[in-house]
Amino acid sequence: MKRFFTSESVTEGHPDKVCDRIVDSILDELLKKNSNARSAVECCAAYNTLFITGEVSGAEVDYESIARAVIHEIGYDFGDFACDKCRVLQYVHGQSADIALGVDASQEKKAGGDEYDTIGAGDQGLMFGYACRETEELMPLPIMLAHKLAEGLTALRKSGKLSYLRPDGKTQVTVEYDGKRPVRVDTIVVSTQHTEEVGQEQIRQDIIKYLVKELVPAQLLDENTKYFINPTGKFVIGGPEGDSGLTGRKIVVDTYGGRCAHGGGSFAGKDPTKVDRSATYMARYICKNMVAAGLADEMELQIAYAIGVARPVSIFVDTFGTGKLPDDRLAQIVQTEFDLRPAAIISKLGLHRPVYAATSAYGHFGRESFPWEKVDRVKDLAKYLKKD
C-alpha cells in the first residue's frame, strides 16, 4: 500500500527558533549559577523588538546581554533586528509561591517518601515519547531528513560556502511508504532567506547541488522527486522583521514531525521540574531503549501527571501491532524498570546541567549528544523476551 508522510523543520534563524534559543540560553546560564534554579521564561520577537517575560527563581542573570549574544551568534547582525540595534524589553518575576508548594515537596514527600519524592510535578499534563526502526537514530525518516536539511542550510551559510544565505529558513520532506517501509523521497521543499542580489535560478541550483544531493541518500531520490526551492520566488525579508516569533510554537518540529501524538506542552525556557520537558525526554529514552531491545519495532508512550504529585497518574503504551509482548504488559515493564518521578528523571538524565541551548533547533530527539538518546538499558529489557 502506497502512502505519503510529510514533516518539516526550521533553521535556528527562524523567528520562533530565535525565541526558543534565547530562553534556553537563559536557562543554561541560570543552571550554571544554581543547578536547582527554576525557570519558565517566554520570549516574543517582532520586527525590531524582543520581549522577555516569565518566572525565575534561585538565580539571576543578565537577560538582555544573553539575548543579544544569541541574536549575534545566530547571524542577525544586519537590519532592524540586528543584535546591537533591536530593542529588548523584559519583565521577569519570581515563581508563584502556590506552584512552589507542590514542586518543592511532593504529596509523597509530605507523607514521608524517599529522596526521589522531594520534587512534585511542576504542572499537570500528558507527555509522549516515540521510537521506530526507520532510521539508525530510531526516529521517523521524514523528520530526520528535514532536520538534516535545515541544519545543512545553516552550515552552508556559516561556512561561507553559500555566502548569500541569511539565517531564516524552512525545510519540508515528503516520504513515500510501501506499507510501513520508506522507499523514496517524493517531495522536498526548501525556503531560505537570501541577499537581494542573488537570483532564483542560482539559489535553486545551489540548494539542490550542495544541500539536497549531499544530505539525502541518493537511493531515496529519483527522476520523479519534486523540488520546491523558494517557491514564492523571493525571500529577502526574514527573521523577526518578516514575521513575529514566539517561544513554543514549533513543538511538532521539536519532537517527531507529527508521527506520534503530542501533549501540547512546549519545552523552551522550562527547567526540568516542568514535566512538559523532563518527562517527554524520559519517554523518548524509554521508547528508544525498548525498541532497541527488540520489544517492539515501533512504540509510543504516554505519561500523565498531577501538579505536586511525584508519581505519574497513568502510563499508556501503543506499539501499533509491532510489540513482541502485549501493550499492557509493556506498560507494566515501563513501570517496573523506570522511575518516572521528576527527581529520579532529573538524576538519571542529568537534567540539572546546562544542556538546553543546543536543543533549541534541529530537534530534541535523534541527536546522540543528548543524554536521553543513550541506549543503555537494552540488556535489562531484553530479558523480558525470554521471561515472558
Side-chain angles (χ1 to χ4, degrees):
M1 180 177 64
K2 184 183 292 188
R3 303 189 303 165
F4 298 85
F5 195 88
T6 301
S7 295
E8 71 162 346
S9 184
V10 296
T11 67
E12 62 195 50
H14 184 281
D16 294 334
K17 281 296 160 196
V18 171
C19 293
D20 286 352
R21 176 73 169 273
I22 288 170
V23 296
D24 273 343
S25 296
I26 288 171
L27 172 59
D28 280 352
E29 292 304 313
L30 290 166
L31 293 175
K32 287 176 185 177
K33 291 193 171 186
N34 179 0
S35 62
N36 294 313
R38 303 276 168 78
S39 171
V41 181
E42 304 283 349
C43 184
C44 176
Y47 191 62
N48 66 349
T49 303
L50 184 76
F51 179 54
I52 303 171
T53 188
E55 302 82 48
V56 166
S57 61
E60 279 295 326
V61 296
D62 187 335
Y63 304 105
E64 180 175 345
S65 293
I66 294 169
R68 292 192 187 279
V70 167
I71 295 167
H72 179 266
E73 185 179 349
I74 288 172
Y76 285 113
D77 52 7
F78 60 92
D80 288 324
F81 193 72
C83 55
D84 59 349
K85 190 175 180 181
C86 66
R87 293 191 305 159
V88 178
L89 309 176
Q90 62 185 61
Y91 183 69
V92 180
H93 54 87
Q95 185 182 50
S96 162
D98 292 348
I99 293 175
L101 282 174
V103 179
D104 293 340
S106 69
Q107 285 192 9
E108 293 94 330
K109 183 62 177 178
K110 293 169 185 175
D114 64 25
E115 60 177 316
Y116 290 134
D117 287 321
T118 52
I119 298 175
D123 201 353
Q124 70 177 48
L126 46 139
M127 299 84 210
F128 288 88
Y130 181 81
C132 65
R133 294 192 178 278
E134 283 183 23
T135 65
E136 64 181 13
E137 298 91 352
L138 300 185
M139 286 282 288
L141 180 61
I143 188 65
M144 289 307 299
L145 291 177
H147 282 324
K148 288 176 181 178
L149 291 174
E151 195 167 14
L153 267 180
T154 298
L156 287 170
R157 171 175 61 89
K158 289 188 171 180
S159 70
K161 180 82 172 180
L162 298 181
S163 58
Y164 59 78
L165 296 179
R166 289 287 175 88
D168 198 356
K170 302 179 78 170
T171 63
Q172 186 172 285
V173 178
T174 301
V175 172
E176 179 184 328
Y177 287 79
D178 181 4
K180 288 195 171 186
R181 183 173 64 91
V183 294
R184 59 181 290 274
V185 170
D186 182 75
T187 307
I188 292 175
V189 184
V190 178
S191 294
T192 179
Q193 186 186 12
H194 57 87
T195 57
E196 184 77 55
E197 63 273 10
V198 66
Q200 168 70 2
E201 188 54 35
Q202 173 87 54
I203 296 171
R204 178 181 172 82
Q205 291 177 6
D206 287 346
I207 293 301
I208 292 175
K209 179 179 179 180
Y210 296 114
L211 184 71
V212 176
K213 299 292 187 181
E214 289 292 325
L215 296 177
V216 179
Q219 67 270 22
L220 294 176
L221 302 172
D222 59 31
E223 66 277 8
N224 294 316
T225 299
K226 297 179 285 292
Y227 302 96
F228 295 97
I229 312 300
N230 278 17
T232 66
K234 186 178 181 181
F235 188 179
V236 172
I237 302 170
E241 283 191 65
D243 191 9
S244 61
L246 186 66
T247 31
R249 204 158 53 178
K250 287 291 178 285
I251 56 176
V252 172
V253 170
D254 287 341
T255 51
Y256 305 99
R259 270 290 288 275
C260 82
H262 197 295
S266 165
F267 309 144
K270 295 178 180 177
D271 74 81
T273 66
K274 280 72 172 175
V275 284
D276 277 339
R277 183 163 221 160
S278 54
T280 303
Y281 290 171
M282 189 64 172
R284 163 63 178 171
Y285 172 74
I286 293 168
C287 288
K288 188 174 184 182
N289 275 271
M290 292 187 76
V291 168
L295 291 169
D297 293 330
E298 182 181 11
M299 178 173 165
E300 178 182 281
L301 170 65
Q302 186 204 58
I303 310 169
Y305 291 86
I307 188 170
V309 181
R311 297 181 186 276
V313 299
S314 70
I315 297 169
F316 176 81
V317 168
D318 188 350
T319 60
F320 309 94
T322 71
K324 304 305 183 285
L325 301 172
D327 289 350
D328 60 344
R329 175 59 180 140
L330 293 175
Q332 292 173 353
I333 292 171
V334 169
Q335 199 158 9
T336 299
E337 292 290 334
F338 300 95
D339 194 331
L340 297 174
R341 292 173 291 177
I345 293 172
I346 292 168
S347 176
K348 171 63 182 175
L349 300 181
L351 300 182
H352 57 285
R353 297 180 292 111
V355 298
Y356 298 102
T359 70
S360 60
Y362 318 118
H364 291 242
F365 307 123
R367 299 161 65 190
E368 298 302 317
S369 58
F370 298 142
W372 49 89
E373 291 294 317
K374 289 181 180 178
V375 182
D376 56 4
R377 295 295 310 278
V378 170
K379 287 185 179 179
D380 298 332
L381 296 169
K383 66 187 178 187
Y384 289 99
L385 292 170
K386 301 175 183 178
K387 185 184 299 185
D388 288 41

